[in-house]
Amino acid sequence: MIKKRILNAKRIRHIDGGFSFIPHRFLTDGFLSALNPVEQLLYFFLVLAADRNGLSFYSYDSICNLLKMSLDQYIKARNALIDRDLIDFDGTIFQVLELPQAPPACEPNPTGYRADIKQLLSKTLKGVPA
């Protein structure tokens, strides 16, 4: 067994101001390996951007610009994270959710999209008054 020791005592990380964390079981229970690299990138970004309740307000154009991804990549990754029950999205606000019991497997859709148009619209317009 490897004995842990502080390598640089002057540079120990501290939580100042913002707050973000990823539970260790994200790695050990297989959530990380269940995501493709673009989904991982978006998930990590949303965790970093979120407040202590998991909420963030970044727009798709800001996210795409910051992460250097296309709109198509963003939509596919966002829908996959929603389908895997890792995030929720109402069209404006993202919420990183408490991890589910186990990482769900998503069946790939022949078009490459995780949600059809009806699901996408309902997720996008969720909570918007009629």
Side-chain angles (χ1 to χ4, degrees):
M1 176 178 277
I2 297 173
K3 184 176 179 180
K4 292 183 186 178
R5 62 184 175 84
I6 301 297
L7 301 178
N8 187 337
K10 294 178 183 176
R11 298 281 308 273
I12 295 174
R13 294 181 354 159
H14 300 282
I15 297 174
D16 293 324
F19 176 81
S20 63
F21 77 95
I22 298 173
H24 191 253
R25 70 184 199 89
F26 186 80
L27 174 65
T28 60
D29 287 2
F31 290 91
L32 179 66
S33 62
L35 303 178
N36 72 38
V38 177
E39 294 164 0
Q40 291 172 359
L41 181 61
L42 180 58
Y43 183 77
F44 293 148
F45 173 80
L46 292 172
V47 168
L48 287 172
D51 66 9
R52 65 187 182 109
N53 294 311
L55 302 176
S56 63
F57 303 89
Y58 277 81
S59 66
Y60 73 87
D61 52 341
S62 293
I63 292 170
C64 291
N65 188 38
L66 285 167
L67 301 182
K68 298 184 182 3
M69 67 174 56
S70 70
L71 179 59
D72 189 52
Q73 289 174 309
Y74 160 78
I75 291 170
K76 288 178 185 178
R78 183 197 64 198
N79 290 346
L81 295 176
I82 291 168
D83 290 346
R84 293 173 190 263
D85 202 25
L86 296 174
I87 66 168
D88 206 349
F89 180 64
D90 74 354
T92 303
I93 301 170
F94 285 96
Q95 182 180 351
V96 177
L97 302 173
E98 182 74 22
L99 292 178
Q101 290 296 85
C106 287
E107 290 297 319
N109 185 317
T111 64
Y113 289 93
R114 301 275 186 227
D116 63 18
I117 300 287
K118 185 176 179 180
Q119 288 175 318
L120 179 59
L121 285 173
S122 70
K123 289 174 185 172
T124 301
L125 299 176
K126 182 177 163 184
V128 176

